[in-house]
Structure formats: structure tokens, C-alpha cells
Amino acid sequence: MRLFTVDAFTDTAFKGNPAAVCLLDSPVTDRWMQSVATEMNLSETAFLLGDSLRWFTPAVEVTLCGHATLATAHVLYSTGAATGQLEFTTAGGTLTVNQLPDGGITMDFPAKDVTPVPVPEGLEKALGVTPVSVGKSALDLLVEVDSEETVRSLTPDIAALSAVEARGVIVTARGTETDFVSRFFAPNVGVPEDPVTGSAHCALSPYWSARLGRDSLVGAQLSARGGTVHVRHAGTRVHLAGKAVTILSATLHT
């Protein structure tokens, strides 16, 4: 089977978020997919069979992933395996993908509204900062802090963050050169810090659109690798757009 690694949400090699993409020839077991994802040891490995798309971290299967969906679409478009609009059937619903004239890719994802919640016990100590506000989406905890520099300089206690009852913790603030910035920590699914997280922007988009009064925004994820996500809030959906770069094309032998 063909196997790729792709840097997503970037147009520069070795930036953005690397994902593995496996194009399946036939059905395989969940255990096998988890073993491949553990072997690849990237934040996500995508498995595509027909239009069915699934994603695994090194530890678990997840129900929604932006950067590995972008990586999968990039592989299909760049190899000539597909053209035009794509529709992936996933645990997170049907995801529609289109290629942009500039070579970027736009994806139609479900919006994840954020509801204000009290600051969970231990969160402030685990992050090492005092939140401006805390909210929760269907997937993650969203923590707004006072500045871009606070987000950039975070050195959280990852083990302590694993006590938070959520897929992951999004830390965000107003941006200086982009509309907003963020970082994403998900030790509960085997990803201490994700370089660029498309699915987190399903919550960031409606959150910042409401704050800034605009539907179309640009977010920067301030991990060591860094990446840019263009978002447009459209009611119950969020459109995520970015570019990707193929790093490796290989054959999986087992």
C-alpha cells in the first residue's frame, strides 16, 4: 500500500503539522491501523479506503482531524488520483474538500460552539498562567489568555493537563500579525503538543468571529513548527483552508 508523509497548513517543508497518509487497497483491522499509526509516531495517521477516512494518533482513534484531512486531499490532488470536489465519510460526519486556484485546499468542517465554564481545578497551575476566560466545546477546553506573547511562551505541565476532562486544551489570544493565535495540548490522546490543529479551529473560528465581528479570519498556531489556518465561520460549519507539502512517498510492506 502507498504511504505518504505530508506537512499540512504550510507551504514550506518541515513546517506546519506532519501527517501520514495511507491509501488502503482493501479493508484492514482497527488493530493494524493503530499499529501503523504507532509506528509512524506522528500526531495523526490517516487511512483512506474509497471515500471512508479515519484518523489515528499513536495512542487512539479520533473522531475529527483537520491537518490529516488536508494531507489526504493533498495526496489525492497532487498524485492525480482525484480532481474536483471530494467528500470523505468520517466519524465526524461528511467532510467536503475543494482545491483552490492557488494550490491551497479548503475543507468544510462542523463548527464547535464554545460554552463558558468555570476554571477547572488545577488548570491554572498546569498552564502556569491566569486565564482571561475558559470555555468548552464538544471536543476541547478553550482557554483565552491575555496576549500573543503569553501563548508563545507557555511551558505547561503536560502530565497535569492530562487531568483535564477533554480531548485537548486550546490556549488562545488576540494576534498581532494575525487575527488570533493558539497552541494545542492533547496528552489524553497521546499528543503532548500538536503543531497545527485544524479541528481546534472548528472552535476557534466561531469563538473569535463572535469576539471580532467578522466571519473570515486568519489564525496562527505558535508551536515550534508553526502554521497558518484561514477560517470562515458559516453558521453550523467552518471552512478551513491551507496548503500542504509532500515530504515522503513510500510503499508499506506489511
Side-chain angles (χ1 to χ4, degrees), residues 119-131 134 143 154 156 161 164:
V119 178
E121 183 177 353
L123 178 68
E124 187 172 337
K125 183 177 180 181
L127 288 176
V129 298
T130 300
V134 179
V143 181
L154 279 175
L161 280 182
V164 175

Side-chain angles (χ1 to χ4, degrees), residues 20 23-24 49 53 57 66 68 71 80 89 117 127 149 161 173 186-187 201 209-210 217-218 234 238:
L23 303 181
L24 298 173
L49 180 63
L53 180 62
T57 78
T89 301
V117 297
L127 288 176
E149 183 52 36
L161 280 182
H201 286 74
S209 288
L217 304 170
V218 180
V238 171

Side-chain angles (χ1 to χ4, degrees), residues 46-119:
F47 297 89
L48 182 68
L49 180 63
D51 64 358
S52 176
L53 180 62
R54 296 173 69 178
W55 314 278
F56 289 76
T57 78
V60 298
E61 184 175 8
V62 298
T63 59
L64 195 65
C65 180
H67 86 280
T69 302
L70 176 60
T72 302
H74 171 78
V75 166
L76 296 177
Y77 287 138
S78 64
T79 61
T83 58
Q85 181 172 289
L86 305 175
E87 285 192 356
F88 296 126
T89 301
T90 80
T94 299
L95 305 179
T96 304
V97 177
N98 286 279
Q99 193 169 30
L100 298 171
D102 66 356
I105 292 169
T106 183
M107 307 179 292
D108 184 343
F109 269 52
K112 302 294 183 183
D113 290 332
V114 177
T115 302
V117 297
V119 178

Side-chain angles (χ1 to χ4, degrees), residues 7 13 30 37 44 76 86 101 133 157 164 170 180 190-191 220 237 242 246:
D7 289 344
D30 291 5
E44 302 287 350
L76 296 177
L86 305 175
S133 65
D157 182 336
V164 175
I170 308 165
F180 61 89
V191 183
R237 308 296 293 180
T246 300

Side-chain angles (χ1 to χ4, degrees), residues 161-174:
L161 280 182
S162 65
V164 175
E165 293 185 4
R167 180 190 67 159
V169 177
I170 308 165
V171 184
T172 187
R174 285 287 303 269

